[in-house]
Amino acid sequence: MRIFLSTGVPAHSHVSTKIQQLLNTLKRPKRPPLSEFFLDDSEEIVEFRQPDPNTPKPEGRQIIPVKGEPLGVVSNWPPALQAALARWGATQAKSPALTALDITGKPLYTLTYGKLWSRSLKLAYTLLNKLGTKNEPVLKPGDRVALVYPNSDPGMFWVAFYGCLLAEVIPVPIEVPLSRKDAGSQQIGFLLGSCGVGLALTSEVCLKGLPKTQNGEIMQFKGWPRLKWVVTDTKYLTKPSKDWQPHIPTANTDTAYIEYKASKEGTVMGVAVSKISMLTHCQALTQACNYCEGETLVNVLDFKKDSGLWHGVVTSVMNRIHTISVPYSVMKACPLSWVQRVHVHKARVALVKCRDLHWAMMAHRDQKDTNLSSLRMLIVADGANPWSVSSCDAFLNVFQSHGLKPEMICPCASSPEAMTVAIRRPGAQGAPLPARAILSMAGLSHGVIRVNTEDKNSALTVQDVGHVMPGALMCIVKPDGPPMLCKTDEIGEIVLNSRAGGTMYYGLPGVTKNTFEVIPVNSGGTPIGDVPFTRTGLLGFVGPGSLVFVVGKIEGLLSVSGRRHNADDLVATALAVEPVKTVYRGRIAVFSVTVFYDERIVIVAEQRPDANEEDSFQWMSRVLQAIDSIHQVGLYCLALVPANTLPKTPLGGIHVSETKQHFLEGSLHPCNILMCPHTCVTNLPKPRQKQPVGVGPASIMVGNLVAGKRIAQASGRDLGLIDDQEQSRKHQFLSEALQWRAQTDPDHVLYLLLNAKGVAVSTATCSQLHKRAEKITAALLERGGINTGDNVVLLYPPGIDLIASFYGCLYAGCIPVTVRPPHPQNLAATLPTVRMIIDVSKAACILTTQTLMKILRSKEAAASVNVKTWPNIIDTDDLPRKRPSHIYKPPTAEMLAYLDFSVSTTGMLTGVKISHSAVNALCRSIKLQCELYSSRQIAICMDPYCGLGFVLWCMSSVYSGHQSILIPPMELETSLPLWLSTLSQYKIRDTFCSYSVMELCTKGLGTQTEALKARGVNLSCVRSCVVIAEERPRLTLTQSFSKLFKDLGLSPRAVSTAFGARVNLAICLQGTTGPDPSTVYVDMKSLRHDRVRLVERGAPQSLPLMESGTILPGVRVIIVNPETRGPLGDSHLGEIWVCSPHNASGYYTIYGEESLQADHFNTRLSFGDTETLWARTGYLGFVRRTELLDASGDRHDALFVVGSLDETLELRGLRYHPIDIETSVSRAHRSIAESAVFTWTNLLVVVVELSGSEQEALDLVPLVTNVVLKEHHFIVGVVVIVDPGVIPINSRGEKQRMHLRDSFLADQLDPIYVAYNM
């Protein structure tokens, strides 16, 4: 047995303190149990509606199951469907079974019952005996076979269907795949897979038309199993041998065929129909429709499924009916063809859908002499659609004069699972006309039946679909939850018990149970019997006289805020809005998407090519109003797409689930869009009310530091205690340090400047730098007439001239002010900033190069600034060889050394004063943190104009004596690998860069790591790569950089970040000591409430934050409540205050803002340690004591920066950080290159750069709105889509959101599209 100490180390082992320290570093904080994190917090976020007391409730009694009439027993009904075919094939061989039409609507061929029988026999024989060998047949009875036949070839399909029945294999009719990317093709693959299909039957013509690969094989369709294709044209079939007879057993419960059905989500499942169900269904239809032997039937429907198959292929053969099949392609060319067929063939029955009635009615003017008096029954297959009644009425209105009798119109209701549910029986002449119900839309949305008499606009008129089928039993049950029987005045799902329905979803036992084996329960929850019912997916009720009414389908149900709306009703309302010339009648999709804990309604329609934008917007806004007033529901999004771009179903309808998929993926490409989140998202949480801060220090103290919590403060090592033998310690001033180095080590190279080729174009030894600085001093004193303490602007590209001029100014006793030179190609944008700094700093003269001097005085410059009033400009390119008479030495170290000007991300220009003592302390602090001494080399790739970048570029080497390799970032534009190859070539251990450089490398070199490796680039030498920044660490960027260049040997621990602010240029810097920066995950919701709640990685709404590097020696930080100015506890969010010998001494030239000076630079806590003077950084963050140990063996305090206070957006009383919203937005779509947010009035504006094609522009609007709602619980006001590069970014890689806002307000963005969310 081994004994363990509490530290987790075996007791008998003696461990060195170093290893012990490592163990402590590795000790993970204990994880709280997960349940705490993954609570769905919708309770605390969502505003729940109070139930409205006026909501209508059902009041009727519980419904009693409705029985259909008994199924009559007719003596000559066949024992199986194949037996009927055999009988007609033998006794009525000449009798016509099927007539097919050509594309013009003329008869193409007629198949007799004799032919149908003989061909089906041949096919059955071929399938069973001729596909494999005798010992290994390819097909066995019970196998599933796909039937792939076009809609225009019913004959081939009939033979294949009956051939399969005779061979006792199970046909699975599917659509012909036209391309690899057909709408829903992958789901068909799922169907074939779940049914175990390995063989497909098709015709020769169809096979030729299928998409092929290069070598002529049929393409493997997306998601499909591998199929063997068999052509069934007669010439390929074999005549059965004399002794072969098909096996025709009496119908039993084995599966006869499988019919496909698509669910709301787009999944395609196969409904299995048993032999007995198929036969019983035929008998029930024969009885209900009163079919007689030898009648003629015109079928316009798809013969592969639904009513087209049940009436037109199966029941017709049982009754020896002659079917005339009118394909969809003929209907498109000649919409009247079916009416002409009825007239020519004196058909008794026609089988149509509402759209066929509508098309015929629109086209009937061309036809005078049609007569429909032969019809005894016009079956409307989609008569269960609530809006079918208007099509039926309009058709009757036109064709009554052509012999159509009102009692002949027979709507029916059906579903793939239950097959025919109810059908109106053909009436005798003069019988009372069928019933109508005028229902209140508001009642329907609450699931109750209320007759609407007042407002015709918000009423739904529905027609009955007749009585329940013979031999069936029907109930109405609640659509969700357990199948409880409804009340008589309640809308529910129709469930049916009958021998004539589907038996299961083939191969999917789990889903089958919930649909095919439902036992209704009464209000007490007890089952009403033990007979299983099948869910039909139809919503409806039973009216007077047991008539069945259907008001919609479950899959078209949109549940918004507890109310139910029917997609078909919304389509009907939209199409009733004028001008309909904007959109196509049949090409409109309605669906709902879940956004922010509720369903939101989206309507997508195809816009006609001739509709202009004005018409479209007018139509869209009218649709919004109509749906709002009629259905009392708000639309979330209304999109119009170009004609013919919505995914179609094979027979021309819209593929809704695929359209929804396109919408959510951002691949719908709308040409017009209207989002209305402000009107329909009503469950947002109430705006937060801030508590007034009027409480005394004692209560604040108690409130902040609950239960003895540690005050949130942290400090770097103590500068005074560190033993440092370096000579440079003796020098108070950098100017002295340079002179001392020039004397003691004149030839030591301090600086190397590289060009794009990686060649050192200039170097500076200690003495060269000193001598050049002296020349500049002489020039300043001679030409400039400069007095001690004057400000001098240094205007140079990144390089050694800049450094020499800086020391030249110090030698002369002037105050240098570095300014980024204007961009020669973009003077209008960059020169005004230069001018502003020169004016604000009251510069006495400008030191610069000849080239830049010409630019400053050029005509182009005169266009944007006044060039006549520049201060004295001295060009330092060729200086006289003079030495100054003396080198200035400041009387005290508190005197100003230089001014640091910078434009913040909010667009503010601020200059801070840096004293000699601050420079000295900062350089010493960096030297100790990074262990810099004269034998070391570092590489710097960043702009040297302000902040820590300037200190590292110009001062650090002179102080510590190390060599700095300078790489101007603009050189990377011509040679991207420059920085990385330099690190490799010089075996650099420490390098400093900016985020923009890191991003350039990540984006530009991401794919070239192999090539770099081949060129010998090796980064294993890099010990630390520090990003110099004044913002929250960009974790995703630093992680991608580390991952990308891991292959080049970059250590995953190398990359870290620094943090500085205006009041103190360097607060944190990782350096070589201290543990690796730690990462924590905080809850975003708490952050918006100014709280920090730590969560586990992967928790919903979690945000990863990385520590900003180790706090520099001599620096102390404390976290303070910005309002009360009291210290906060560990892991609390507050403003970061800093105290250090290298704090800046104050702002420069903020006229009359002395109070701000005191407030930002010399401020005290309101309680606790009230003596120390602190500087306020203006950044929010928190300190967290970690389990890791620092160099001195104490527990390490990590500082986490969350963001700048100036940048935060106050929305609905909560505090948002722009970067968090932008991160969400950039993830919303692959074509979003960059994004930026700001507020305008109280609206959130999101600007998105589109990197894809312009047709994707409008796809982004709903995705951006969705993601911000989902992740930040806020509604976007305006979405602006712009070209790449429009969002302004400064040299540090920070977005200039305020400049962007100004451009937006001044209308200067030239956007691709601006969407104002309503």
Side-chain angles (χ1 to χ4, degrees):
M1 178 180 155
R2 298 165 78 197
I3 307 165
F4 279 85
L5 296 174
S6 59
T7 53
V9 181
H12 54 75
S13 61
H14 290 286
V15 193
S16 75
T17 46
K18 197 79 183 155
I19 293 179
Q20 183 62 53
Q21 199 176 329
L22 189 69
L23 274 173
N24 291 345
T25 306
L26 295 173
K27 271 204 319 198
R28 285 299 306 267
K30 283 205 175 68
R31 293 182 174 207
L34 280 186
S35 60
E36 193 182 316
F37 294 118
F38 291 98
L39 288 176
D40 183 22
D41 29 280
S42 60
E43 286 71 43
E44 54 178 283
I45 297 172
V46 181
E47 183 65 27
F48 278 110
R49 291 243 182 84
Q50 294 311 314
D52 178 3
N54 304 325
T55 302
K57 298 212 168 27
E59 294 149 9
R61 55 177 175 75
Q62 189 174 297
I63 190 172
I64 299 161
V66 181
K67 248 193 163 105
E69 75 236 47
L71 191 53
V73 181
V74 177
S75 53
N76 66 348
W77 269 356
L81 189 64
Q82 304 91 301
L85 177 59
R87 174 184 165 195
W88 304 131
T91 64
Q92 298 278 349
K94 294 270 192 295
S95 180
L98 166 74
T99 297
L101 305 182
D102 66 14
I103 191 77
T104 64
K106 302 277 185 297
L108 185 64
Y109 61 80
T110 294
L111 194 64
T112 60
Y113 275 96
K115 281 268 172 56
L116 177 60
W117 167 244
S118 63
R119 287 183 191 173
S120 305
L121 262 188
K122 276 186 186 172
L123 177 60
Y125 178 73
T126 307
L127 289 178
L128 292 176
N129 301 293
K130 293 294 172 192
L131 293 184
T133 57
K134 194 163 189 132
N135 299 333
E136 283 190 30
V138 170
L139 277 183
K140 300 181 293 300
D143 285 350
R144 276 76 53 213
V145 174
L147 267 48
V148 186
Y149 294 93
N151 196 262
S152 54
D153 197 353
M156 292 291 282
F157 175 82
W158 279 41
V159 170
F161 185 80
Y162 282 106
C164 288
L165 292 187
L166 288 170
E168 293 192 277
V169 296
I170 302 171
V172 185
I174 59 170
E175 306 303 338
V176 178
L178 298 174
S179 76
R180 215 172 155 244
K181 288 193 174 151
D182 269 8
S185 125
Q186 205 164 351
Q187 280 77 11
I188 295 283
F190 173 76
L191 164 81
L192 297 175
S194 64
C195 294
V197 174
L199 190 83
L201 305 185
T202 186
S203 66
E204 194 164 29
V205 174
C206 184
L207 191 75
K208 278 191 180 135
L210 290 178
K212 310 276 192 304
T213 58
Q214 306 271 265
N215 47 13
E217 288 173 17
I218 288 169
M219 192 171 280
Q220 178 68 21
F221 297 106
K222 203 172 165 200
W224 283 36
R226 290 216 80 84
L227 292 183
K228 188 176 156 80
W229 293 82
V230 174
V231 175
T232 62
D233 294 55
T234 318
K235 58 184 176 191
Y236 299 113
L237 303 181
T238 312
K239 201 173 177 190
S241 56
K242 292 274 188 292
D243 56 346
W244 185 83
Q245 277 300 317
H247 177 233
I248 302 181
T250 303
N252 56 15
T253 55
D254 295 346
T255 300
Y257 70 92
I258 293 171
E259 185 170 318
Y260 80 83
K261 152 226 168 119
S263 72
K264 183 178 183 177
E265 290 73 43
T267 321
V268 176
M269 302 180 289
V271 176
V273 180
S274 71
K275 294 172 178 169
I276 190 76
S277 300
M278 177 167 71
L279 189 68
T280 313
H281 190 219
C282 289
Q283 293 167 350
L285 283 177
T286 303
Q287 182 172 326
C289 302
N290 204 1
Y291 280 126
C292 304
E293 205 182 305
E295 283 190 308
T296 304
L297 171 141
V298 171
N299 176 24
V300 192
L301 307 183
D302 180 6
F303 49 71
K304 292 189 283 296
K305 54 194 274 249
D306 298 339
S307 301
L309 176 66
W310 307 331
H311 289 263
V313 180
V314 189
T315 309
S316 59
V317 165
M318 191 171 103
N319 291 295
R320 194 175 62 81
I321 285 171
H322 176 198
T323 304
I324 287 120
S325 187
V326 183
Y328 175 64
S329 51
V330 171
M331 285 297 294
K332 271 168 79 173
C334 169
L336 257 185
S337 54
W338 72 269
V339 176
Q340 291 159 352
R341 289 298 109 202
V342 170
H343 168 74
V344 171
H345 292 272
K346 306 232 174 330
R348 303 286 287 139
V349 181
L351 189 56
V352 296
K353 280 191 164 174
C354 290
R355 61 140 206 250
D356 307 319
L357 300 180
H358 181 77
W359 286 5
M361 200 170 66
M362 301 305 270
H364 94 283
R365 291 179 196 79
D366 326 338
Q367 203 66 28
K368 296 286 173 280
D369 53 348
T370 36
N371 187 334
L372 299 182
S373 58
S374 62
L375 278 184
R376 63 177 186 79
M377 202 174 180
L378 178 61
I379 300 172
V380 184
D382 55 354
N385 250 338
W387 34 271
S388 63
V389 59
S390 56
S391 298
C392 293
D393 287 355
F395 185 77
L396 180 65
N397 198 14
V398 170
F399 284 97
Q400 202 159 4
S401 57
H402 293 258
L404 180 70
K405 302 184 263 310
E407 61 274 14
M408 300 314 161
I409 295 179
C410 299
C412 73
S414 63
S415 83
E417 291 82 1
M419 296 166 68
T420 312
V421 174
I423 187 164
R424 198 187 286 169
R425 315 298 193 254
Q429 207 163 358
L433 274 178
R436 295 276 161 96
I438 299 172
L439 307 176
S440 137
M441 283 281 200
L444 284 177
S445 74
H446 292 290
V448 295
I449 299 157
R450 293 288 178 267
V451 173
N452 179 317
T453 45
E454 310 82 47
D455 179 13
K456 283 287 172 282
N457 266 343
S458 56
L460 179 69
T461 305
V462 282
Q463 59 182 352
D464 70 276
V465 287
H467 291 93
V468 66
M469 288 294 281
L473 188 62
M474 174 193 283
C475 292
I476 312 279
V477 299
K478 291 194 185 289
D480 23 45
M484 192 182 288
L485 288 175
C486 288
K487 297 188 169 153
T488 48
D489 61 343
E490 197 173 359
I491 302 283
E493 183 175 8
I494 298 175
V495 294
L496 205 66
N497 164 264
S498 152
R499 282 175 62 205
T503 47
M504 61 175 165
Y505 291 127
Y506 198 95
L508 302 168
V511 218
T512 293
K513 203 166 177 52
N514 304 339
T515 304
F516 293 93
E517 299 165 31
V518 175
I519 296 181
V521 296
N522 60 25
S523 52
T526 44
I528 59 164
D530 50 6
V531 290
F533 283 73
T534 297
R535 289 184 181 273
T536 62
L538 299 173
L539 295 168
F541 62 95
V542 177
S546 296
L547 283 170
V548 180
F549 288 87
V550 176
V551 296
K553 292 193 176 109
I554 292 264
E555 61 182 39
L557 204 58
L558 313 171
S559 280
V560 182
S561 315
R563 286 173 57 215
R564 307 200 292 240
H565 305 277
N566 206 307
D568 290 335
D569 297 343
L570 295 171
V571 169
T573 301
L575 291 179
V577 171
E578 293 297 323
V580 176
K581 66 167 190 277
T582 308
V583 296
Y584 289 100
R585 186 183 168 82
R587 308 201 51 73
I588 184 163
V590 175
F591 51 86
S592 66
V593 293
T594 308
V595 182
F596 197 64
Y597 305 102
D598 201 354
E599 295 294 302
R600 316 284 175 199
I601 298 177
V602 179
I603 296 187
V604 183
E606 284 190 359
Q607 178 176 309
R608 290 174 181 270
D610 50 352
N612 60 33
E613 200 158 339
E614 187 61 34
D615 284 348
S616 300
F617 267 104
Q618 200 171 12
W619 182 80
M620 288 159 93
S621 41
R622 285 182 185 160
V623 169
L624 290 180
Q625 291 160 3
I627 286 180
D628 185 53
S629 65
I630 294 173
H631 302 272
Q632 276 105 48
V633 65
L635 280 189
Y636 180 65
C637 175
L638 181 50
L640 296 182
V641 299
N644 264 327
T645 56
L646 284 182
K648 298 186 183 68
T649 57
L651 293 183
I654 296 291
H655 201 296
V656 178
S657 60
E658 195 103 341
T659 303
K660 174 174 173 174
Q661 199 54 39
H662 286 328
F663 174 79
L664 291 172
E665 284 169 359
S667 54
L668 205 55
H669 310 331
C671 47
N672 270 310
I673 198 160
L674 205 51
M675 296 280 303
C676 308
H678 290 283
T679 44
C680 76
V681 178
T682 52
N683 58 340
L684 281 178
K686 285 202 173 74
R688 165 179 166 220
Q689 302 296 320
K690 286 228 169 143
Q691 298 307 315
V693 184
V695 266
S699 59
I700 296 174
M701 187 79 179
V702 174
N704 286 335
L705 309 178
V706 187
K709 238 190 169 191
R710 210 177 71 76
I711 283 189
Q713 55 184 346
S715 45
R717 292 177 294 163
D718 191 334
L719 265 178
L721 297 177
I722 300 171
D723 186 29
D724 182 13
Q725 299 304 321
E726 267 283 353
Q727 281 297 307
S728 57
R729 276 295 311 276
K730 301 192 181 105
H731 307 292
Q732 262 188 318
F733 305 104
L734 262 189
S735 48
E736 291 182 330
L738 178 56
Q739 292 166 62
W740 170 75
R741 286 196 186 280
Q743 276 168 352
T744 56
D745 195 357
D747 299 330
H748 173 60
V749 178
L750 282 180
Y751 292 105
L752 257 94
L753 177 73
L754 302 186
N755 67 4
K757 296 196 170 83
V759 177
V761 278
S762 66
T763 55
T765 62
C766 300
S767 75
Q768 281 169 338
L769 187 62
H770 166 64
K771 283 176 181 159
R772 180 137 180 85
E774 283 190 321
K775 282 189 198 170
I776 289 171
T777 308
L780 268 173
L781 298 174
E782 249 177 53
R783 290 196 229 163
I786 298 292
N787 299 318
T788 306
D790 277 354
N791 295 342
V792 174
V793 161
L794 314 184
L795 199 65
Y796 291 95
I800 293 173
D801 282 352
L802 172 68
I803 304 169
S805 310
F806 176 77
Y807 289 100
C809 287
L810 295 189
Y811 284 4
C814 315
I815 314 292
V817 183
T818 46
V819 179
R820 162 191 306 282
H823 196 294
Q825 271 77 51
N826 194 0
L827 287 178
T830 54
L831 198 57
T833 311
V834 175
R835 178 84 227 193
M836 185 159 75
I837 299 177
I838 289 170
D839 293 347
V840 169
S841 63
K842 308 194 206 55
C845 81
I846 300 172
L847 292 178
T848 186
T849 63
Q850 267 175 13
T851 321
L852 281 166
M853 181 160 134
K854 282 182 189 145
I855 288 176
L856 289 185
R857 294 187 166 143
S858 69
K859 266 200 211 126
E860 292 77 24
S864 35
V865 297
N866 181 352
V867 295
K868 298 218 166 60
T869 56
W870 291 122
N872 186 3
I873 303 178
I874 300 176
D875 113 54
T876 57
D877 281 358
D878 42 1
L879 292 171
R881 298 192 161 188
K882 281 193 176 169
R883 292 182 57 185
S885 51
H886 75 288
I887 288 178
Y888 174 79
K889 182 181 175 182
T892 76
E894 301 317 310
M895 301 269 298
L896 275 195
Y898 73 100
L899 295 180
D900 187 303
F901 272 93
S902 158
V903 177
S904 76
T905 48
T906 52
M908 292 285 292
L909 173 71
T910 40
V912 288
K913 303 189 279 196
I914 311 286
S915 68
H916 287 282
S917 65
V919 168
N920 206 322
L922 177 51
C923 288
R924 177 155 186 252
S925 193
I926 295 171
K927 172 183 187 294
L928 297 168
Q929 190 80 327
C930 300
E931 297 177 354
L932 299 174
Y933 31 86
S934 36
S935 60
R936 296 286 307 283
Q937 258 186 336
I938 67 168
I940 305 171
C941 185
M942 54 189 302
D943 276 336
Y945 297 107
C946 62
L948 185 51
F950 177 55
V951 175
L952 288 166
W953 190 281
C954 280
M955 301 172 222
S956 207
S957 276
V958 169
Y959 183 89
S960 307
H962 60 270
Q963 190 183 87
S964 293
I965 296 176
L966 308 175
I967 305 165
M970 58 193 185
E971 302 291 1
L972 264 64
E973 289 171 17
T974 43
S975 164
L976 255 182
L978 174 63
W979 174 45
L980 299 181
S981 47
T982 304
L983 299 180
S984 169
Q985 184 190 338
Y986 290 88
K987 303 214 170 2
I988 298 289
R989 287 174 66 184
D990 300 275
T991 180
F992 300 89
C993 70
S994 61
Y995 276 126
S996 29
V997 165
M998 189 169 269
E999 192 158 33
L1000 261 177
C1001 292
T1002 310
K1003 285 185 175 164
L1005 299 174
T1007 52
Q1008 297 178 30
T1009 45
E1010 285 307 309
L1012 290 172
K1013 209 175 188 173
R1015 279 173 44 189
V1017 175
N1018 180 349
L1019 302 179
S1020 53
C1021 51
V1022 178
R1023 176 178 61 171
S1024 77
C1025 165
V1026 184
V1027 189
I1028 305 297
E1030 300 189 3
E1031 57 179 301
R1032 175 203 300 178
R1034 299 191 199 171
L1035 195 55
T1036 31
L1037 179 56
T1038 53
Q1039 282 176 344
S1040 335
F1041 181 81
S1042 302
K1043 273 195 193 128
L1044 265 178
F1045 299 111
K1046 186 178 81 194
D1047 292 352
L1048 299 180
L1050 181 67
S1051 151
R1053 301 174 52 186
V1055 179
S1056 62
T1057 65
F1059 171 64
R1062 292 282 69 206
V1063 297
N1064 183 315
L1065 305 181
I1067 296 168
C1068 304
L1069 178 65
Q1070 188 54 36
T1072 50
T1073 55
D1076 286 347
S1078 52
T1079 299
V1080 294
Y1081 292 83
V1082 297
D1083 177 60
M1084 295 248 273
K1085 294 184 307 303
S1086 307
L1087 215 50
R1088 286 177 214 133
H1089 287 88
D1090 288 338
R1091 293 196 306 269
V1092 174
R1093 181 173 140 234
L1094 297 181
V1095 293
E1096 283 288 284
R1097 177 183 182 168
Q1101 297 273 325
S1102 63
L1103 170 74
L1105 292 176
M1106 182 167 85
E1107 180 187 348
S1108 285
T1110 313
I1111 293 174
L1112 279 164
V1115 176
R1116 281 171 63 199
V1117 296
I1118 187 162
I1119 305 297
V1120 181
N1121 179 326
E1123 278 144 8
T1124 65
R1125 306 214 171 178
L1128 289 166
D1130 191 81
S1131 296
H1132 276 60
L1133 186 70
E1135 187 180 7
I1136 302 167
W1137 288 15
V1138 57
C1139 163
S1140 121
H1142 65 252
N1143 274 10
S1145 339
Y1147 287 128
Y1148 183 79
T1149 66
I1150 298 183
Y1151 306 106
E1153 296 278 353
E1154 279 71 27
S1155 58
L1156 197 66
Q1157 210 67 307
D1159 185 37
H1160 281 202
F1161 286 90
N1162 301 311
T1163 189
R1164 290 182 163 90
L1165 292 172
S1166 56
F1167 58 87
D1169 161 17
T1170 52
E1171 294 308 303
T1172 310
L1173 286 180
W1174 298 90
R1176 302 178 59 171
T1177 62
Y1179 282 82
L1180 287 174
F1182 59 95
V1183 164
R1184 178 168 177 264
R1185 176 151 279 189
T1186 63
E1187 298 284 323
L1188 309 169
L1189 300 181
D1190 58 26
S1192 55
D1194 298 328
R1195 280 174 66 187
H1196 171 69
D1197 293 315
L1199 173 66
F1200 294 92
V1201 178
V1202 175
S1204 151
L1205 261 166
D1206 287 351
E1207 286 251 282
T1208 56
L1209 312 172
E1210 289 266 345
L1211 297 164
R1212 297 175 60 85
L1214 299 171
R1215 198 195 300 272
Y1216 289 86
H1217 293 271
I1219 183 69
D1220 296 329
I1221 301 177
E1222 290 158 359
T1223 304
S1224 299
V1225 167
S1226 297
R1227 276 203 316 264
H1229 192 277
R1230 62 181 183 284
S1231 293
I1232 296 178
E1234 186 57 274
S1235 64
V1237 301
F1238 52 82
T1239 50
W1240 167 51
T1241 61
N1242 56 353
L1243 292 175
L1244 178 69
V1245 180
V1246 179
V1247 179
V1248 171
E1249 288 184 357
L1250 171 72
S1251 64
S1253 68
E1254 285 205 4
Q1255 61 171 9
E1256 289 181 308
L1258 277 75
D1259 284 312
L1260 307 183
V1261 178
L1263 295 185
V1264 166
T1265 309
N1266 292 357
V1267 77
V1268 175
L1269 245 177
K1270 188 174 131 204
E1271 297 182 9
H1272 303 279
H1273 314 155
F1274 194 81
I1275 296 174
V1276 175
V1278 186
V1279 181
V1280 186
I1281 316 282
V1282 295
D1283 292 312
V1286 169
I1287 296 171
I1289 285 177
N1290 69 12
S1291 61
R1292 288 194 298 271
E1294 299 162 336
K1295 295 172 198 167
Q1296 303 284 291
R1297 299 182 184 89
M1298 289 307 127
H1299 283 329
L1300 184 67
R1301 182 177 188 270
D1302 296 341
S1303 309
F1304 168 72
L1305 295 179
D1307 203 12
Q1308 292 163 349
L1309 286 183
D1310 187 21
I1312 298 170
Y1313 192 83
V1314 181
Y1316 292 91
N1317 285 347
M1318 291 163 67

